[in-house]
Amino acid sequence: MFHAATFAQKIPAMISPELFNELARNRRSVFPDQFDPGKRVDDEIIREIMINATWAPDHGRSEPWHFSVFTGEGLKSLASFQSELYKQEAGENFKEATYYKLQHQPLKASHIISIGMKRTTTKNIPETEDISAVACAVQNIYLSVTAYGLGGYWTTGGITYNANAKPFFGLDEKDKLLGFFYIGKVAIPSVGATRSPIEEKVRWIEN
Ligand SMILES: Cc1cc2nc3c(=O)[nH]c(=O)nc-3n(C[C@H](O)[C@H](O)[C@H](O)COP(=O)(O)O)c2cc1C
């Protein structure tokens, strides 16, 4: 009986494994100072990237990711929110340089995605697994950004671990803000990445 091949079965013929190896190994973090300032990525591309994010694996069909996309004037709202929250709470530890960075760093990006984990409450899924699923979604973002010839990186700096920041990103107390993914057009590519030999990280047990 004839069975039509699933799309997944056709993928090796369309994207060779060797090509995917190159994509995975040449994906690099590209930081805001390497972006082409003021160049905006087409929103439609970002939409495609976010669809890829939501196709990450998850345990128990929990889909625990929760993203907000900031662009245009939205970048200014994010910059203003994070810098003012810092100012309100820093007290005697206030540093002008940190305040300045929180105000200006987002404006270097074309789009910034806040990376949220919405805690699964309907099933018995450990928190680590909700976080892991969101990290898989972020890797889909990383690879998609690379495939589109764009630059980006995941940052956990600034207000990431401030519990008072959560509502701004649509997160409740039990949820987690896991950071931000900055995206921009690349002016200065990243070079010089290294990894340890896999023998140091991968053990084979064959008998
Ligand atoms: C969970 C996570 C958090 C990260 N947070 C930061 C960060 O706060 N600041 C930063 O410069 N890079 C951050 N990065 C990006 C790393 O610097 C980058 O992945 C690492 O240097 C390896 O480079 P590569 O991504 O080009 O392989 C983070 C990456 C991950 C996975």
Side-chain angles (χ1 to χ4, degrees):
M1 194 178 142
F2 174 76
H3 289 284
T6 65
F7 192 79
Q9 285 172 310
K10 295 181 207 161
I11 286 175
M14 294 188 299
I15 315 169
S16 72
E18 291 76 18
L19 193 59
F20 183 78
N21 293 346
E22 292 303 323
L23 173 67
R25 295 172 199 183
N26 288 282
R27 174 214 57 78
R28 287 282 71 76
S29 291
V30 177
F31 303 99
D33 287 338
Q34 297 169 256
F35 294 162
D36 207 341
K39 290 270 172 64
R40 179 160 168 178
V41 176
D42 192 337
D43 285 345
E44 205 40 53
I45 291 178
I46 302 298
R47 213 183 112 71
E48 294 292 339
I49 292 171
M50 297 319 296
I51 292 172
N52 293 347
T54 65
W55 278 100
D58 59 339
H59 191 179
R61 303 306 300 113
S62 54
E63 303 188 41
W65 33 79
H66 186 77
F67 302 111
S68 303
V69 179
F70 296 86
T71 190
E73 292 295 307
L75 293 169
K76 292 184 190 162
S77 306
L78 172 61
S80 153
F81 172 75
Q82 63 176 16
S83 55
E84 291 313 311
L85 183 64
Y86 169 73
K87 195 176 191 177
Q88 273 168 31
E89 298 187 349
E92 58 188 29
N93 296 323
F94 179 83
K95 290 193 189 70
E96 192 60 45
T98 305
Y99 180 62
Y100 183 90
K101 192 172 176 190
L102 290 168
Q103 257 183 337
H104 291 89
Q105 198 75 340
L107 311 181
K108 297 175 183 170
S110 164
H111 293 72
I112 297 176
I113 323 294
S114 65
I115 305 163
M117 181 279 280
K118 279 253 170 215
R119 186 76 181 99
T120 303
T121 50
T122 49
K123 292 167 194 154
N124 193 18
I125 304 286
E127 188 186 57
T128 326
E129 298 188 14
D130 278 341
I131 296 170
S132 301
V134 178
C136 289
V138 178
Q139 179 68 350
N140 275 5
I141 296 176
Y142 252 125
L143 292 172
S144 305
V145 161
T146 309
Y148 277 103
L150 302 169
Y153 88 122
W154 182 352
T155 171
T156 45
I159 58 166
T160 297
Y161 300 121
N162 185 328
N164 296 329
K166 289 182 189 179
F168 187 76
F169 301 102
L171 300 168
D172 297 324
E173 213 177 307
K174 62 190 179 313
D175 307 330
K176 282 193 186 303
L177 181 61
L178 299 179
F180 301 91
F181 201 96
Y182 278 57
I183 299 176
K185 294 197 177 179
V186 183
I188 307 167
S190 294
V191 288
T194 57
R195 287 295 188 269
S196 312
I198 67 160
E199 290 71 24
E200 290 178 17
K201 306 287 177 185
V202 181
R203 205 163 63 102
W204 290 61
I205 295 95
E206 296 192 79
N207 51 45

